[in-house]
Amino acid sequence: MEIKFVSGLADVIAAQTEISSVDGKRGVLRYRGYGIEDLADNSSFEEVCYLLLYGKLPTKAQLNGFKNKLKKEQKLSKPVQDFIKGSPKTSNPMDVLRTAVSIIGVYAKKETLVDSSVRLIAKVPIIITAFGRVIQNKKILQPKPKLSIAGNFLYMLNGKVSKLEEEIFDVCLILHAEHGMNASTFSARVAASTRTDIYSAITAAIATLKGPRHGGANEKVLEMVKEIKTEKNVESYIMKRLKKKVRIMGFGHRVYRIKDPRAYILEERSKELARKTKSNFYDILKKVEKIMEREVGHKGIWPNVDFFSGSVYNSLKIPPKLFTPIFALGRVPGWCAHLLEEYQPANRIMRPKAIYIGPKQRKYIPISKR
Ligand code: SDX
């Protein structure tokens, strides 16, 4: 039965998965059956990584063993360090991250997919913060064994981290860990369906996530808030752009037709931090949300995961250039879980069709006659 062309593969089922479920109508997101709200309130990013990779919540012993494996991988080889230190400070950090992962792949020994996944989950935050220090002309810091991935990220970037900052950033990573067949995960699965290696597939995912329609939106939302400056400018700023059909970053989603459940959780953190840092970013965002609801809510265009995340990261003193790499850092366990699924023998190479709409058959004309 010929399936007709659907722009953007909207609603096309590309895989069967046990990893997460995304209910766009009711705004429900579950990882291996656990609600995202439950995990954000009670779990940790390391525990969620274990859940995504192994399909169940770990016992205390299993979690400690997993954390020890991660800690053993929290260093970068000399080729990767030299590359990061030698990258131009003006480079896009997503290009640096993508290339650093490729270098790790060049030196990778034969290992299980789970071991490669642990290696990537451990190394990606080190790559990002190392480059973060390079662009701030600061010495690269080493991780502290006592800190979590979230805590170490903020410590290695800013030289210090509070318990509250670690807790909030840990929730951000949990919220970004997995989201079904989004573009970057699909990209990774297409690569894995050819049985290429995991580092090539993750490189494809990072390259895909970089795009402003996908992971790149969080940085653009913060740029918008800074351009708006105060609440009283919001109405004219938004209406002008809507009139010109300019997309408002942080809004809209292919699956969610109501507010992204992750946006509610990030909104709370954004409000809490805005109060602590006396920033008006949260108030501006809420005003933008109100106007967008009035103007386009009926079209199913609501805040997505990127709408509040930038204001949270800004309050955590993370440079905007690192916002999209943070999305990648959070998503590594989700990508790896999907690759473990895609490499199952029953999965075939992904090879959709295209409907030819070009010129009808033509005869070759010698160049002298053209
Ligand atoms: C993520 O898929 C995932 O799961 C992704 C993600 C994940 O966790 O992996 O959730 C993360 O990528 C979130 C999305 C972040 N991107 C943005 O915030 C960028 C702005 N959003 C849009 O570019 C857009 O909404 C997309 C890309 C997110 C979804 O695009 P679709 O589903 O292809 O929708 P569309 O482009 O066909 O738009 C449908 C209509 C259009 O209007 P009409 O031409 O029909 O009149 O909605 C309008 C669009 O103009 N529209 C917007 C809008 N997004 C869509 N109008 C204003 N502002 C927007 N942001």
Side-chain angles (χ1 to χ4, degrees):
M1 179 265 284
E2 184 86 337
I3 302 168
K4 68 179 184 10
F5 167 61
V6 182
S7 152
L9 298 181
D11 300 327
V12 169
I13 311 280
Q16 298 187 105
T17 181
E18 298 175 16
I19 301 167
S20 69
S21 54
V22 183
D23 180 333
K25 285 207 185 64
R26 296 188 306 132
V28 177
L29 171 58
R30 295 200 185 103
Y31 296 168
R32 302 278 190 190
Y34 294 94
I36 193 68
E37 297 74 10
D38 230 356
L39 294 170
D41 286 344
N42 304 298
S43 188
S44 68
F45 180 58
E46 284 82 348
E47 192 174 66
V48 165
C49 290
Y50 188 100
L51 171 66
L52 290 170
L53 291 179
Y54 293 96
K56 60 183 176 53
L57 287 173
T59 61
K60 205 163 168 49
Q62 286 167 332
L63 184 59
N64 288 336
F66 185 67
K67 284 181 179 176
N68 290 335
K69 274 191 185 170
L70 287 166
K71 292 201 185 305
K72 284 204 192 88
E73 289 296 344
Q74 279 182 326
K75 54 188 173 309
L76 299 177
S77 65
K78 192 168 175 332
V80 175
Q81 286 185 47
D82 292 349
F83 162 69
I84 291 171
K85 287 178 193 156
S87 295
K89 292 188 176 53
T90 52
S91 315
N92 184 316
M94 285 296 274
D95 296 339
V96 173
L97 176 59
R98 188 192 67 233
T99 311
V101 167
S102 290
I103 297 173
I104 294 171
V106 168
Y107 291 85
K109 305 241 175 339
K110 204 121 188 51
E111 59 190 0
T112 67
L113 287 171
V114 171
D115 285 347
S116 303
S117 304
V118 170
R119 182 190 298 271
L120 284 161
I121 293 168
K123 291 189 188 309
V124 163
I126 314 283
I127 294 165
I128 298 168
T129 48
F131 188 61
R133 296 290 283 190
V134 164
I135 52 179
Q136 297 178 70
N137 296 312
K138 291 181 183 163
K139 197 168 88 46
I140 293 174
L141 297 177
Q142 297 310 314
K144 286 188 162 179
K146 286 219 172 340
L147 290 176
S148 64
I149 289 175
N152 258 321
F153 184 93
L154 295 174
Y155 163 71
M156 288 188 287
L157 187 64
N158 297 329
K160 58 181 178 20
V161 58
S162 71
K163 229 32 221 124
L164 175 70
E165 289 167 339
E166 180 176 17
E167 184 271 321
I168 288 178
F169 192 57
D170 191 68
V171 169
C172 293
L173 296 182
I174 290 173
L175 294 175
H176 284 82
E178 158 61 13
H179 207 249
M181 202 48 69
N182 59 86
S184 51
T185 299
F186 181 51
S187 210
R189 287 194 74 143
V190 170
S193 79
T194 71
R195 296 302 179 258
T196 188
D197 65 288
I198 188 168
Y199 295 98
S200 301
I202 296 292
T203 303
I206 296 170
T208 307
L209 184 71
K210 177 184 171 189
R213 283 182 171 182
H214 186 13
N218 51 19
E219 187 180 344
K220 301 268 179 248
V221 172
L222 198 78
E223 279 169 22
M224 171 180 74
V225 170
K226 288 179 178 170
E227 272 171 33
I228 291 174
K229 291 194 182 57
T230 70
E231 272 184 85
K232 64 177 180 10
N233 300 336
V234 173
E235 178 86 27
S236 58
Y237 183 98
I238 295 295
M239 293 312 288
K240 226 184 289 164
R241 279 152 186 78
L242 290 179
K243 251 189 209 79
K244 288 192 283 192
K245 300 266 301 160
V246 170
R247 306 267 168 128
I248 307 300
M249 293 288 119
F251 277 86
H253 199 279
R254 175 62 60 76
V255 179
Y256 291 121
R257 307 320 293 166
I258 57 172
K259 189 165 169 178
D260 188 323
R262 299 166 293 180
Y264 285 104
I265 303 172
L266 287 163
E267 175 177 348
E268 277 165 48
R269 280 14 188 233
S270 170
K271 184 174 180 184
E272 182 182 358
L273 283 169
R275 201 172 301 121
K276 271 195 179 336
T277 55
K278 301 197 179 9
S279 140
N280 70 338
F281 285 10
Y282 172 78
D283 298 332
I284 292 174
L285 288 168
K286 284 304 282 180
K287 187 88 197 255
V288 169
E289 183 180 13
K290 207 158 161 319
I291 292 162
M292 286 293 281
E293 181 178 351
R294 183 191 73 203
E295 296 297 322
V296 292
H298 64 284
K299 288 172 75 176
I301 301 164
W302 292 84
N304 58 47
V305 68
D306 290 305
F307 187 57
F308 290 104
S309 58
S311 61
V312 174
Y313 301 153
N314 186 61
S315 304
L316 295 175
K317 300 182 279 310
I318 297 170
K321 278 184 84 165
L322 300 185
F323 288 6
T324 306
I326 287 173
F327 194 140
L329 152 54
R331 189 54 55 90
V332 171
W335 287 333
C336 291
H338 276 275
L339 294 179
L340 288 170
E341 227 176 41
E342 186 59 42
Y343 283 122
Q344 296 302 316
N347 286 321
R348 302 168 68 198
I349 190 167
M350 293 205 207
R351 201 280 183 216
K353 281 184 168 176
I355 296 179
Y356 177 71
I357 54 170
K360 296 268 171 288
Q361 191 174 359
R362 298 188 278 186
K363 246 179 110 33
Y364 183 79
I365 302 160
I367 195 157
S368 55
K369 297 225 170 39
R370 284 178 221 158

